[in-house]
Coordinates of all heavy atoms in Angstrom, one line a residue:
Chain V
E2 N 0.2 2.4 0.0 CA 0.9 3.7 0.0 C 0.8 4.2 1.4 O -0.2 4.5 1.9 CB 0.2 4.6 -1.0 CG 0.1 4.1 -2.4 CD -1.0 4.8 -3.2 OE1 -2.0 5.3 -2.5 OE2 -1.0 4.8 -4.4
N31 N 8.0 11.6 -5.8 CA 9.1 12.4 -6.2 C 9.2 13.8 -5.5 O 9.9 14.7 -5.9 CB 8.9 12.7 -7.7 CG 7.7 13.6 -8.1 OD1 6.9 13.7 -7.2 ND2 7.7 14.1 -9.3
Y32 N 8.3 13.9 -4.4 CA 8.3 15.2 -3.7 C 8.0 14.9 -2.3 O 7.2 14.1 -1.9 CB 7.2 16.1 -4.3 CG 7.0 17.4 -3.7 CD1 8.0 18.4 -3.7 CD2 5.8 17.7 -3.0 CE1 7.8 19.6 -3.1 CE2 5.6 18.9 -2.4 CZ 6.6 19.9 -2.5 OH 6.4 21.1 -1.8
P34 N 7.6 17.1 1.2 CA 7.5 18.3 1.9 C 7.4 18.0 3.4 O 7.0 16.9 3.9 CB 6.2 18.9 1.4 CG 5.3 17.7 1.1 CD 6.3 16.7 0.6
Y36 N 5.8 19.9 7.0 CA 4.9 20.9 7.5 C 5.1 21.1 9.0 O 5.3 20.1 9.7 CB 3.5 20.6 7.1 CG 3.2 20.8 5.7 CD1 3.5 19.8 4.7 CD2 2.5 21.9 5.2 CE1 3.2 20.0 3.4 CE2 2.2 22.1 3.9 CZ 2.6 21.1 3.0 OH 2.3 21.3 1.6
Q38 N 2.9 22.5 12.3 CA 1.6 22.9 12.7 C 1.6 23.3 14.2 O 1.9 22.5 15.1 CB 0.5 21.7 12.5 CG -0.9 22.1 12.8 CD -1.9 21.0 12.6 OE1 -1.6 19.9 12.8 NE2 -3.1 21.4 12.2
G41 N -3.9 24.6 17.2 CA -5.1 25.3 16.7 C -4.9 26.0 15.3 O -5.8 26.7 14.8
K42 N -3.7 25.8 14.7 CA -3.5 26.4 13.4 C -3.5 25.4 12.3 O -3.5 24.2 12.5 CB -2.2 27.1 13.4 CG -2.1 28.2 14.5 CD -2.9 29.4 14.2 CE -2.7 30.6 15.1 NZ -1.3 31.1 15.2
R43 N -3.4 25.8 11.0 CA -3.3 25.0 9.9 C -1.8 24.6 9.7 O -0.9 25.3 10.1 CB -3.8 25.6 8.6 CG -3.0 26.9 8.3 CD -3.6 27.6 7.1 NE -3.1 29.0 6.9 CZ -3.5 29.8 6.0 NH1 -4.5 29.4 5.1 NH2 -3.0 31.0 5.9
P44 N -1.5 23.4 9.0 CA -0.1 23.1 8.7 C 0.5 24.1 7.7 O -0.2 24.6 6.8 CB -0.3 21.7 8.0 CG -1.6 21.2 8.5 CD -2.5 22.4 8.6
Q45 N 1.7 24.4 8.0 CA 2.4 25.4 7.1 C 3.7 24.7 6.6 O 4.5 24.1 7.4 CB 2.8 26.7 7.9 CG 1.6 27.4 8.5 CD 1.1 28.5 7.6 OE1 1.2 28.4 6.3 NE2 0.5 29.6 8.1
L46 N 4.0 24.9 5.3 CA 5.2 24.3 4.7 C 6.4 25.0 5.3 O 6.5 26.2 5.4 CB 5.2 24.5 3.2 CG 6.4 24.0 2.4 CD1 6.3 22.5 2.3 CD2 6.4 24.6 1.1
D49 N 10.9 21.7 1.7 CA 10.6 20.5 0.8 C 11.8 20.1 0.0 O 12.8 20.9 -0.1 CB 9.4 20.8 -0.1 CG 9.6 22.1 -1.0 OD1 10.8 22.6 -1.1 OD2 8.6 22.5 -1.6
R51 N 12.9 17.6 -3.6 CA 12.5 16.9 -4.8 C 13.4 15.7 -5.0 O 14.5 15.7 -4.5 CB 12.4 17.8 -6.0 CG 11.2 18.7 -5.9 CD 11.2 19.8 -6.9 NE 10.0 20.7 -6.7 CZ 9.8 21.6 -5.8 NH1 10.8 21.9 -5.0 NH2 8.7 22.3 -5.7
F89 N 4.9 17.4 10.4 CA 4.5 16.3 9.5 C 5.3 16.2 8.3 O 5.7 17.2 7.7 CB 3.0 16.6 9.0 CG 2.0 16.5 10.1 CD1 1.5 17.7 10.7 CD2 1.5 15.3 10.5 CE1 0.6 17.6 11.7 CE2 0.5 15.3 11.5 CZ 0.0 16.4 12.1
T93 N 4.5 11.8 -2.1 CA 3.5 11.9 -3.2 C 3.5 10.6 -4.0 O 4.0 10.6 -5.1 CB 3.8 13.1 -4.1 OG1 5.1 13.0 -4.6 CG2 3.6 14.4 -3.4
T96 N -0.8 7.0 -8.6 CA -1.7 5.9 -9.0 C -2.1 6.2 -10.5 O -2.7 7.3 -10.7 CB -2.9 5.8 -8.1 OG1 -2.5 5.6 -6.8 CG2 -3.8 4.7 -8.6
G98 N -0.5 7.5 -12.8 CA 0.0 8.8 -13.2 C -0.5 9.9 -12.5 O -0.2 11.1 -12.7
T99 N -1.5 9.7 -11.5 CA -2.1 10.8 -10.7 C -1.4 10.8 -9.4 O -1.4 9.8 -8.7 CB -3.6 10.6 -10.6 OG1 -4.2 10.6 -11.9 CG2 -4.2 11.7 -9.8
Y100 N -0.9 12.0 -8.9 CA -0.3 12.1 -7.7 C -1.3 12.5 -6.6 O -2.3 13.1 -6.8 CB 0.8 13.2 -7.7 CG 2.0 12.8 -8.5 CD1 2.0 13.1 -9.9 CD2 3.1 12.2 -8.0 CE1 3.1 12.7 -10.7 CE2 4.2 11.8 -8.7 CZ 4.2 12.1 -10.1 OH 5.3 11.7 -10.8
K101 N -0.9 12.1 -5.3 CA -1.7 12.5 -4.2 C -0.6 12.7 -3.1 O 0.5 12.3 -3.2 CB -2.8 11.6 -3.8 CG -2.3 10.1 -3.6 CD -3.5 9.2 -3.5 CE -3.0 7.8 -3.5 NZ -4.2 6.8 -3.6
Y102 N -1.1 13.4 -2.0 CA -0.2 13.7 -0.9 C -0.6 12.9 0.3 O -1.7 13.1 0.8 CB -0.2 15.2 -0.6 CG 0.2 16.1 -1.8 CD1 -0.7 16.3 -2.8 CD2 1.4 16.8 -1.8 CE1 -0.3 17.1 -3.9 CE2 1.8 17.6 -2.8 CZ 0.9 17.8 -3.9 OH 1.3 18.6 -4.9
I103 N 0.3 12.0 0.8 CA 0.1 11.2 1.9 C 1.0 11.7 3.1 O 2.2 11.8 2.8 CB 0.3 9.7 1.6 CG1 -0.6 9.3 0.5 CG2 0.1 8.9 2.9 CD1 -2.1 9.4 0.8
F104 N 0.4 11.8 4.2 CA 1.2 12.4 5.4 C 1.6 11.3 6.4 O 0.9 10.3 6.5 CB 0.4 13.5 6.1 CG 0.3 14.8 5.3 CD1 -0.5 14.9 4.3 CD2 1.2 15.8 5.7 CE1 -0.6 16.1 3.6 CE2 1.1 17.0 5.0 CZ 0.3 17.2 3.9
G105 N 2.7 11.5 7.1 CA 3.0 10.7 8.3 C 2.1 11.1 9.4 O 1.3 12.1 9.3
T106 N 2.2 10.4 10.5 CA 1.3 10.6 11.7 C 1.8 11.7 12.6 O 1.1 12.0 13.6 CB 1.2 9.3 12.5 OG1 2.5 8.8 12.8 CG2 0.4 8.3 11.7
G107 N 2.9 12.4 12.3 CA 3.3 13.6 13.0 C 4.2 13.3 14.2 O 4.3 12.2 14.7
Chain O
V4 N -6.9 29.5 0.4 CA -7.9 28.5 0.5 C -8.8 28.9 1.7 O -8.4 29.1 2.8 CB -7.2 27.1 0.9 CG1 -8.3 26.0 1.0 CG2 -6.2 26.7 -0.2
Y31 N -5.2 20.9 -8.4 CA -5.3 19.8 -7.4 C -6.0 20.4 -6.1 O -5.6 21.4 -5.6 CB -3.9 19.3 -7.1 CG -3.9 18.1 -6.1 CD1 -3.9 16.8 -6.5 CD2 -3.9 18.4 -4.7 CE1 -3.8 15.8 -5.7 CE2 -3.9 17.3 -3.8 CZ -3.8 16.0 -4.3 OH -3.8 15.0 -3.4
Y35 N -8.6 16.5 4.0 CA -8.0 15.6 5.0 C -8.8 15.8 6.3 O -9.5 16.8 6.6 CB -6.6 16.1 5.3 CG -5.6 15.9 4.2 CD1 -5.5 16.8 3.2 CD2 -4.8 14.7 4.1 CE1 -4.6 16.6 2.1 CE2 -3.9 14.5 3.1 CZ -3.8 15.5 2.1 OH -3.0 15.3 1.1
Q37 N -8.1 15.3 10.5 CA -7.0 15.2 11.5 C -7.6 14.8 12.8 O -8.4 15.5 13.4 CB -6.3 16.6 11.6 CG -5.1 16.5 12.5 CD -4.2 17.7 12.5 OE1 -4.7 18.8 12.3 NE2 -2.9 17.6 12.7
G40 N -3.1 11.8 17.2 CA -2.3 10.6 17.0 C -2.4 10.0 15.6 O -1.7 9.0 15.4
M41 N -3.3 10.5 14.8 CA -3.5 9.8 13.5 C -3.0 10.7 12.3 O -3.0 10.3 11.2 CB -5.0 9.6 13.3 CG -5.7 8.8 14.4 SD -5.1 7.1 14.3 CE -6.0 6.5 12.9
G42 N -2.5 11.8 12.6 CA -1.9 12.7 11.5 C -3.0 13.2 10.6 O -4.2 13.4 11.0
L43 N -2.7 13.5 9.4 CA -3.6 14.0 8.4 C -3.9 12.9 7.4 O -3.1 12.4 6.7 CB -2.9 15.2 7.6 CG -2.7 16.4 8.4 CD1 -1.5 17.2 7.8 CD2 -3.9 17.3 8.5
L45 N -6.0 11.4 4.2 CA -6.6 11.9 3.0 C -8.0 11.2 2.8 O -8.2 10.0 2.8 CB -5.7 11.5 1.8 CG -6.2 12.0 0.4 CD1 -6.3 13.5 0.3 CD2 -5.3 11.4 -0.7
Y48 N -9.7 13.4 -3.1 CA -8.9 14.4 -3.8 C -9.4 14.6 -5.3 O -10.2 13.7 -5.8 CB -7.4 14.1 -3.8 CG -7.0 12.9 -4.5 CD1 -6.4 12.9 -5.7 CD2 -7.2 11.6 -3.9 CE1 -5.9 11.8 -6.4 CE2 -6.8 10.5 -4.5 CZ -6.1 10.5 -5.8 OH -5.7 9.4 -6.4
V50 N -8.1 16.1 -9.3 CA -7.0 16.7 -10.1 C -7.5 17.7 -11.1 O -6.8 18.1 -12.0 CB -6.2 15.6 -10.8 CG1 -5.5 14.7 -9.7 CG2 -7.0 14.7 -11.7
Q57 N -10.9 8.6 -4.6 CA -10.9 8.3 -3.1 C -9.5 8.4 -2.6 O -8.5 8.0 -3.2 CB -11.5 7.0 -2.9 CG -13.0 6.9 -3.3 CD -13.6 5.5 -3.0 OE1 -12.8 4.6 -2.7 NE2 -14.9 5.4 -3.1
E59 N -7.5 7.8 1.5 CA -7.3 6.7 2.5 C -8.6 6.3 3.3 O -8.8 5.2 3.7 CB -6.2 7.1 3.5 CG -4.9 7.4 2.9 CD -4.0 8.1 3.9 OE1 -4.2 9.3 4.1 OE2 -3.1 7.5 4.4
F90 N -9.5 19.6 7.1 CA -8.7 20.6 6.3 C -8.8 20.3 4.8 O -8.7 19.2 4.3 CB -7.2 20.5 6.6 CG -6.8 21.0 8.0 CD1 -6.6 20.2 9.1 CD2 -6.6 22.4 8.2 CE1 -6.3 20.7 10.3 CE2 -6.3 22.9 9.4 CZ -6.1 22.0 10.5
S94 N -3.1 22.5 -4.5 CA -1.8 22.6 -5.1 C -1.8 23.0 -6.5 O -2.8 22.7 -7.2 CB -1.1 21.2 -5.0 OG 0.2 21.2 -5.5
I96 N 0.1 22.4 -9.4 CA 0.3 21.6 -10.6 C 0.2 20.1 -10.3 O 0.2 19.7 -9.1 CB 1.7 21.8 -11.2 CG1 2.8 21.6 -10.2 CG2 1.7 23.2 -11.8 CD1 4.2 21.8 -10.8
L97 N 0.0 19.3 -11.3 CA -0.3 17.9 -11.1 C 0.8 17.0 -11.2 O 0.7 15.8 -11.1 CB -1.3 17.5 -12.2 CG -2.6 18.3 -12.3 CD1 -3.5 17.9 -13.4 CD2 -3.4 18.2 -10.9
T98 N 2.1 17.5 -11.3 CA 3.2 16.6 -11.3 C 3.7 16.1 -10.0 O 4.7 15.4 -9.9 CB 4.4 17.3 -12.1 OG1 4.6 18.6 -11.4 CG2 4.0 17.5 -13.5
G99 N 3.0 16.5 -8.9 CA 3.3 16.0 -7.6 C 4.5 16.6 -7.0 O 5.0 16.0 -6.0
D100 N 5.0 17.8 -7.4 CA 6.1 18.4 -6.8 C 5.9 19.8 -6.4 O 6.8 20.7 -6.5 CB 7.4 18.2 -7.6 CG 7.3 18.9 -9.0 OD1 6.2 19.4 -9.3 OD2 8.3 19.0 -9.7
S101 N 4.7 20.1 -6.1 CA 4.3 21.5 -5.7 C 3.7 21.4 -4.3 O 2.9 20.5 -4.0 CB 3.3 22.1 -6.7 OG 3.0 23.4 -6.4
P102 N 4.0 22.4 -3.4 CA 3.4 22.3 -2.0 C 1.9 22.4 -2.0 O 1.3 23.1 -2.8 CB 4.1 23.5 -1.3 CG 4.5 24.4 -2.4 CD 4.8 23.6 -3.6
L103 N 1.4 21.8 -0.9 CA 0.0 22.0 -0.6 C -0.2 23.2 0.2 O 0.5 23.5 1.1 CB -0.5 20.8 0.2 CG -0.9 19.5 -0.5 CD1 -1.3 18.4 0.5 CD2 -2.1 19.7 -1.5
F105 N -3.0 24.9 2.7 CA -4.1 24.5 3.6 C -5.0 25.6 3.9 O -4.6 26.8 4.1 CB -3.6 23.9 4.9 CG -3.0 22.5 4.7 CD1 -1.7 22.3 4.3 CD2 -3.9 21.4 5.0 CE1 -1.2 21.0 4.2 CE2 -3.4 20.1 4.9 CZ -2.1 19.9 4.5
G106 N -6.3 25.3 4.0 CA -7.3 26.2 4.6 C -7.1 26.2 6.2 O -6.3 25.5 6.7
N107 N -7.9 27.0 6.8 CA -7.8 27.1 8.3 C -8.5 26.0 9.1 O -8.4 26.0 10.3 CB -8.3 28.5 8.8 CG -7.4 29.6 8.4 OD1 -6.2 29.4 8.5 ND2 -7.9 30.8 8.1

Side-chain angles (χ1 to χ4, degrees):
Chain V
E2 304 158 336
N31 67 347
Y32 177 65
Y36 286 80
Q38 186 179 31
K42 302 286 185 63
R43 62 184 168 182
Q45 300 266 29
L46 180 75
D49 56 12
R51 291 168 177 79
F89 293 98
T93 54
T96 302
T99 300
Y100 289 90
K101 53 191 171 186
Y102 299 75
I103 301 297
F104 285 80
T106 50
Chain O
V4 180
Y31 182 95
Y35 291 87
Q37 184 173 31
M41 304 291 285
L43 294 155
L45 181 64
Y48 63 104
V50 297
Q57 296 182 347
E59 302 167 282
F90 286 99
S94 177
I96 55 177
L97 302 179
T98 53
D100 62 352
S101 182
L103 278 177
F105 283 85
N107 285 325

